[in-house]
Amino acid sequence: MTREYIYHRFERFWHWVQAALIIFLGVTGFEIHGLFTFFGYEQAVQYHEIAAWSFIILIAFAIFWHFTKGEWRQYLPTWKNVRAQAEYYVFGIFRNAPHPTKKTVLSKLNPLQKFVYAGLKALIIPTMVITGLVYMFYRYPQRYEVLSLNIGGLQTVAVLHTIGAFLLVSFFVAHLYLITTGHKVTSNLKAMITGYEEIPDSEVMAAVETVRTGSKETVGETKEVSR
Amino acid sequence: MRRIFLALFILGIFAVMVPTALHKNSSETPPLTMLKEQYAAKTKSSVDHSLFPELKKNFNRPQDVTAACISCHNGRAQEVMHSTHWQWERTEYIAGKGIRSIGKRNILNNFCIGITSNEPSCTRCHAGYGYSDTKAYFSDSLDVDCLACHDNSGTYAKMNEGAGMPDTSVNLSYVAQHVGKPTRANCGTCHFFGGGGNNVKHGDLEEALFDPARDVDVHMATDGMNMQCVDCHTAQKHQMLGKMYSVSSMSRNRVQCETCHGSMPHKDDVLNNHTLKIACQTCHIPEYARVNPTKLFWDWSKAGKLKNGKPFELKDSSGTDVYMSIKGSFKWGKNLKPDYLWFNGTATHYLLGDKFDPSKPLDVNRLLGSYDDPDSKIYPVKIHRAEQIYDTRYDYLIQPKLYSAKKGDGGFWGDFNWERSAEIGMKAVGLPYSGHYGFTETRMYWPINHMVASKEQAVKCNECHTRNDGRLAEVAGFYMPGRDYNPWVERFGFGLMALTLGGVFIHGGVRLALSRKRKRSV
């Protein structure tokens, strides 16, 4: 058994605050969308706005952290091992095969995660933030009057914001489930709380190979190992 | 490391400051307390009219009172004669029809229909004496009725069917000695009873406003600001501010809440932003006819039934007329949620002689506007429906003669004969009558402006921002959060959620099953 330090303190803080904010934004947002009544419309709007600003502040910190620490490179999508990872989820996981990629502090995302998170960070979150800001500011009070952005109504903004929200819900569902796909059902969760992940030695060996060579043959070998 | 912390700290401060700066409420309209101070101070006239010898005499004719008034207030009568209260028409531009002179004098409504050939009865509310027929021409300034508006004694009254003459019971000398600024009682005597009874027409102007409590009207409440009509409907040279879209069509001379309250009266900017597209009245007058019922439907086709050859009336349990032989049957409503529509301050009107399609309801007046029009806002309105008489050959509305001075003069209220009534009325307006009449559905749109509720009673967010039958469910042309959604986006969203959940359950289920099997085999 190896204990590997994966998630920095800020990273964990950021993750959990972001999780709370996204859940809260989701609940208040879908209430504003008219799907249910929970806080009451007026409160939902107020809370949604407060949470939105908190989220934007958090994003500002996170961006700063990503660039000063070079962590943004973690999210550079790569085709390397994508197939192995996909095959793991489709076949290997059922046979209790080892994970094809190993989490380290230098490479904490598997290739599929890289794609999903890059999409999340480069596409969905910016879309949500921008459409959200337009939502807030398409009408804005000036000294003596209320002015309006010339966008002819909320239709487009609202549709984009809603699509983004639905994508985030799906991400959230899948994300919750994928927590359980660590070495043990709880090890991913533990890692995000403590920062350390426990990895059985057998997998360390197999995965280190993958990381080092990263060739197709090795992927084949990984599969061999898994058999 | 320390530098990183410092940078993080500065960034954090910025991240907090920027939104705070953006969110600062920059509204600079006078706060409500200043307005209250301004209107709480009631001015009292320094002149005591009861001391003037000119007024301490017996007046034989009301015109003699006017003469006494203008012997001091010279030129004032001329001002009145230039006002709508006197002329009952004004030059208006009507979209699609051009420049027309319209007003009570020549426009039809779907209550008592029109005044031509009915003058002595309708002109009881004219600000003059002797408007007795179509040809009456008001050139004599002595015919101006100063007292109707300026009586502060509360004893002045106009004669029923007297073409604007005062009632014989009125002590003109006493009234003349007790004059002053118009009060709610002066304006209300006519404006609360338009259409032949209390609250018949407007729905938001009625006798409850003579002495309203604060929960009836925040402005006019006698236990509150006790504002008078003329505090908002201010006048310069007897030209009153404000008009109604039953008889006018242009966006001018309007009384606006914003004049006092500004366009950003709320503490919350989310609410202030609403003012760009939502009229104040829309949220602040949640219901109309809150004290007494207002007429919603008037079926003229049922008029004329007689019992033993005599006209009769039926009242409902609350004492409201539901049938009158002279007028037909009615439907009334109380505590009504208004209808809402886009309105830019202009209206079109049905004008005498306009042909229409009787297979569809006819809009006697229509309020214009749309979301895309920057001048439009959503306004609350009362819609009054009627079945009213029209010429089935010429397809235009009929001006009937209703008022009857004596049996046999052709007035419907005496003779109950639509044929004769239509014939005489149409002759009076100068239009041919084919001899064939029927009844057609007509509608009128009355913006709701009065009986503003206290802010605690204002419409709540979720009364409009809701998917199930909100107040603005019918108002089209724009996307409203909470009410609207794109059905394709919903299908995509819920479909994706279902797929994800399904995938998770299948994948997880198989994993669970296999791991159990493995455990057992171990």
Side-chain angles (χ1 to χ4, degrees), chain B residues 38 56 107 120 130 132 137 189 200 203 212 281 304 318 325 329 351 369 378 408 411 415 456 477 479 487 501:
Chain B
Q38 192 180 332
K56 282 186 181 173
I107 217 159
S132 54
Y137 182 67
T189 301
V200 167
Q281 295 92 317
S318 67
S325 296
S329 67
L351 299 180
I378 295 171
D415 298 347
E456 295 79 22
Y479 183 97
L501 277 171

Side-chain angles (χ1 to χ4, degrees), chain B residues 144-303:
Chain B
V144 170
D145 185 348
C146 307
L147 302 178
C149 304
H150 291 285
D151 163 42
N152 279 178
S153 74
T155 63
Y156 185 78
K158 292 227 193 198
M159 192 193 295
N160 198 13
E161 300 175 354
M165 295 299 276
D167 197 81
T168 46
S169 68
V170 173
N171 180 341
L172 292 172
S173 178
Y174 181 77
V175 175
Q177 291 173 43
H178 297 85
V179 288
K181 246 183 134 177
T183 63
R184 292 194 297 269
N186 298 102
C187 309
T189 301
C190 285
H191 290 283
F192 296 167
F193 300 95
N198 180 47
N199 211 12
V200 167
K201 271 185 180 170
H202 291 268
D204 62 339
L205 284 179
E206 60 130 319
E207 61 189 8
L209 293 177
F210 283 134
D211 185 15
R214 191 169 178 274
D215 65 341
V216 172
D217 189 302
V218 280
H219 297 108
M220 298 196 261
T222 35
D223 58 348
M225 295 312 297
N226 199 14
M227 287 170 69
Q228 304 298 317
C229 307
V230 293
D231 284 331
C232 296
H233 295 272
T234 53
Q236 286 287 329
K237 302 192 171 191
H238 282 95
Q239 313 301 308
M240 311 293 302
L241 196 64
K243 51 28 178 324
M244 198 50 176
Y245 286 93
S246 48
V247 287
S248 55
S249 63
M250 288 167 71
S251 182
R252 59 172 178 183
N253 207 33
R254 297 165 75 185
V255 177
Q256 306 275 22
C257 311
E258 289 90 335
T259 308
C260 292
H261 293 284
S263 59
M264 291 187 287
H266 310 97
K267 281 197 190 111
D268 182 352
D269 276 340
V270 174
L271 294 180
N272 283 334
N273 290 347
H274 279 70
T275 63
L276 199 65
K277 288 290 182 189
I278 310 283
C280 309
Q281 295 92 317
T282 298
C283 300
H284 290 282
I285 309 179
E287 284 180 346
Y288 64 98
R290 285 192 288 130
V291 183
N292 292 300
T294 186
K295 205 170 273 187
L296 295 177
F297 179 66
W298 183 325
D299 189 352
W300 277 104
S301 70
K302 302 283 195 304

Side-chain angles (χ1 to χ4, degrees), chain B residues 107-111 244-249 341 343 346-351 362-368 382-384 442-447:
Chain B
I107 217 159
L108 298 188
N109 62 53
N110 65 4
F111 297 87
M244 198 50 176
Y245 286 93
S246 48
V247 287
S248 55
S249 63
L341 43 80
F343 181 41
T346 68
T348 62
H349 294 275
Y350 178 84
L351 299 180
L362 168 69
D363 288 335
V364 176
N365 71 333
R366 188 172 337 115
L367 308 179
L368 304 174
K382 169 193 161 176
I383 300 176
H384 180 262
T442 57
R443 292 178 184 168
M444 276 193 92
Y445 299 82
W446 293 75

Side-chain angles (χ1 to χ4, degrees), chain B residues 246-449:
Chain B
S246 48
V247 287
S248 55
S249 63
M250 288 167 71
S251 182
R252 59 172 178 183
N253 207 33
R254 297 165 75 185
V255 177
Q256 306 275 22
C257 311
E258 289 90 335
T259 308
C260 292
H261 293 284
S263 59
M264 291 187 287
H266 310 97
K267 281 197 190 111
D268 182 352
D269 276 340
V270 174
L271 294 180
N272 283 334
N273 290 347
H274 279 70
T275 63
L276 199 65
K277 288 290 182 189
I278 310 283
C280 309
Q281 295 92 317
T282 298
C283 300
H284 290 282
I285 309 179
E287 284 180 346
Y288 64 98
R290 285 192 288 130
V291 183
N292 292 300
T294 186
K295 205 170 273 187
L296 295 177
F297 179 66
W298 183 325
D299 189 352
W300 277 104
S301 70
K302 302 283 195 304
K305 287 179 205 158
L306 301 174
K307 250 184 208 163
N308 309 322
K310 285 196 171 140
F312 64 98
E313 294 173 8
L314 294 174
K315 291 181 192 295
D316 66 10
S317 54
S318 67
T320 314
D321 293 316
V322 289
Y323 183 79
M324 293 169 87
S325 296
I326 60 168
K327 293 180 176 178
S329 67
F330 317 122
K331 281 185 190 135
W332 300 75
K334 213 181 140 179
N335 296 321
L336 299 158
K337 272 188 194 173
D339 288 277
Y340 297 93
L341 43 80
W342 288 108
F343 181 41
N344 62 16
T346 68
T348 62
H349 294 275
Y350 178 84
L351 299 180
L352 267 167
D354 286 353
K355 293 204 181 254
F356 67 93
D357 176 3
S359 67
K360 286 183 283 197
L362 168 69
D363 288 335
V364 176
N365 71 333
R366 188 172 337 115
L367 308 179
L368 304 174
S370 69
Y371 174 80
D372 300 320
D373 171 0
D375 294 328
S376 290
K377 293 185 183 188
I378 295 171
Y379 275 83
V381 296
K382 169 193 161 176
I383 300 176
H384 180 262
R385 293 178 172 79
E387 289 285 331
Q388 80 185 82
I389 187 167
Y390 80 107
D391 189 310
T392 51
R393 292 281 162 89
Y394 294 135
D395 285 346
Y396 50 53
L397 291 181
I398 285 174
Q399 164 67 66
K401 177 175 172 57
L402 299 168
Y403 161 71
S404 170
K406 57 179 190 297
K407 244 182 177 336
D409 68 354
F412 186 80
W413 292 349
D415 298 347
F416 300 100
N417 180 340
W418 281 122
E419 296 281 358
R420 281 265 289 150
S421 157
E423 201 182 304
I424 298 169
M426 289 309 267
K427 200 173 168 200
V429 297
L431 282 172
Y433 168 53
S434 69
H436 301 272
Y437 71 89
F439 292 86
T440 190
E441 189 186 342
T442 57
R443 292 178 184 168
M444 276 193 92
Y445 299 82
W446 293 75
I448 301 289
N449 296 308

